[in-house]
C-alpha cells in the first residue's frame, strides 16, 4: 500500500492550505531507510509535481548529499507540512499542528534510526524548542515524544545556500558527520 493510502491523507482539508494547493506532497524515497529527512513545506515546484525537494533547494540538497556520500534513493524525504504555504511563507503553528498526525504516522511506519531536520522551522517543531542553528547544527538531539523521541540530527535548510555564503560547506560538513555516525551505528 502506498504512503498516501496508509496515511489517509487523500483530499485532506484539515487546514486552509488545502484551498490553493495543486498537490499534497507526502514524501518519497526508501520506506525502509534508516534516515528520514524532514524539510519545512513544499515550494512552487514541489506543489506542481507532488514531490518533495524537486526545485532549487532540491538540487542543492542533491549535491550536498552526493558530497557527503549519501544517496537520495537511500533515504526518505518529507516535510513538516504537506501543502504549499502561500508566497513561500513559513507554515504557521496551526498548520503544523493540523499536519502533525501525518508526520508522526510516517515516523512510525518508516521507523528510521535517525531523523534529520533541515532548517530552523523543522528543528524547532521536531524538538518543541526554539532551535538556534548557529549553535545546534551538526548536533544530535532528541525529537518530541510525538515523534517517538527519536534521535534528531540538525542542520541548515539547503535554501539558505541561496542567501548566505559559506553555508553549503557547513551543511556538507554536517552531513559528513551524519555519514560517519551512520557508519558507526549500522
Ligand atoms: N523546501 C522545503 O522545506 N521542502 C521542500 O520540499 C522544498 C523546499
Amino acid at each position: 500500500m502506498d504512503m498516501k493510502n496508509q496515511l489517509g491523507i487523500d483530499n485532506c482539508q484539515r487546514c486552509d492550505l488545502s484551498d490553493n494547493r495543486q498537490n499534497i506532497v507526502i514524501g518519497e524515497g526508501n520506506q525502509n531507510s534508516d534516515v528520514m529527512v524532514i524539510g519545512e513545506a513544499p515550494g512552487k515546484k514541489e506543489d506542481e509535481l507532488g514531490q518533495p525537494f524537486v526545485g532549487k533547494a532540491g538540487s542543492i540538497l542533491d549535491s550536498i548529499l552526493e558530497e557527503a556520500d549519501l544517496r537520495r534513493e537511500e533515504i526518505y524525504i518529507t516535510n513538516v507540512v504537506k501543502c504549499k504555504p502561500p508566497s513561500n511563507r513559513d507554515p504557521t503553528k496551526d498548520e503544523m499542528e493540523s499536519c502533525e498526525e501525518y508526520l508522526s504516522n510516517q515516523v512510525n511506519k518508516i521507523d528510521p534510526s535517525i531523523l534529520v531536520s533541515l532548517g530552523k522551522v523543522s528543528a524547532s517543531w521536531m524538538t518543541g524548542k526554539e532551535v538556534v542553528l548557529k549553535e545546534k547544527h551538526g548536533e544530535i538531539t532528541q525529537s518530541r515524544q510525538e515523534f517517538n523521541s527519536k534521535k534528531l540530527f540538525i542542520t541548515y535548510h539547503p535554501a539558505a545556500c541561496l542567501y548566505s555564503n559559506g553555508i553549503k560547506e557547513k551543511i556538507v560538513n554536517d552531513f559528513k558527520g551524519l555519514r560517519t555516525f551512520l557508519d558507526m551505528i549500522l
Side-chain angles (χ1 to χ4, degrees):
M1 199 196 280
D2 73 2
M3 188 64 85
K4 197 174 194 170
N5 291 329
Q6 290 184 53
L7 298 180
I9 198 170
D10 219 9
N11 200 27
C12 174
Q13 314 247 322
R14 289 187 184 184
C15 79
D16 289 348
L17 295 183
S18 59
D19 292 350
N20 296 305
R21 70 164 177 243
Q22 288 187 54
N23 280 294
I24 302 177
V25 181
I26 294 159
E28 69 178 13
N30 178 357
Q31 294 192 25
N32 297 312
S33 184
D34 286 301
V35 183
M36 181 166 166
V37 172
I38 304 164
E40 186 178 311
K44 190 166 180 289
K45 196 87 186 170
E46 289 77 19
D47 180 52
E48 271 166 33
L49 299 178
Q51 295 169 272
F53 283 97
V54 286
K56 271 191 205 155
S59 309
I60 300 169
L61 178 62
D62 287 344
S63 104
I64 289 167
L65 291 173
E66 201 181 317
E67 284 193 55
D69 198 23
L70 285 155
R71 258 150 294 281
R72 192 166 165 140
E73 313 81 73
E74 290 171 27
I75 62 185
Y76 189 82
I77 306 185
T78 187
N79 285 299
V80 171
V81 301
K82 313 302 189 206
C83 299
K84 180 182 111 40
S87 317
N88 221 10
R89 67 155 169 76
D90 290 350
T92 64
K93 185 163 180 278
D94 281 356
E95 289 159 358
M96 293 192 286
E97 263 166 14
S98 303
C99 231
E100 176 160 295
E101 194 186 354
Y102 298 130
L103 184 57
S104 90
N105 284 342
Q106 281 176 304
V107 172
N108 274 331
K109 285 184 199 315
I110 290 165
D111 195 23
S113 303
I114 192 159
L115 304 168
V116 177
S117 269
L118 301 179
K120 184 186 173 74
V121 171
S122 170
S124 301
W125 185 249
M126 298 305 290
T127 56
K129 293 176 204 143
E130 179 88 357
V131 170
V132 179
L133 290 175
K134 228 182 356 187
E135 291 167 10
K136 297 288 179 202
H137 78 95
E139 289 187 12
I140 295 172
T141 179
Q142 202 178 31
S143 69
R144 282 192 280 135
Q145 215 182 320
E146 286 76 1
F147 305 111
N148 295 347
S149 308
K150 282 202 177 272
K151 289 188 180 63
L152 176 81
F153 185 83
I154 293 175
T155 190
Y156 292 93
H157 194 288
C161 303
L162 299 168
Y163 314 107
S164 314
N165 286 331
I167 292 281
K168 187 169 180 198
E169 291 69 22
K170 287 185 184 165
I171 310 179
V172 168
N173 208 32
D174 288 349
F175 270 102
K176 283 184 176 166
L178 175 66
R179 172 80 268 174
T180 306
F181 175 76
L182 291 170
D183 290 341
M184 263 163 38
I185 61 156
L186 300 179

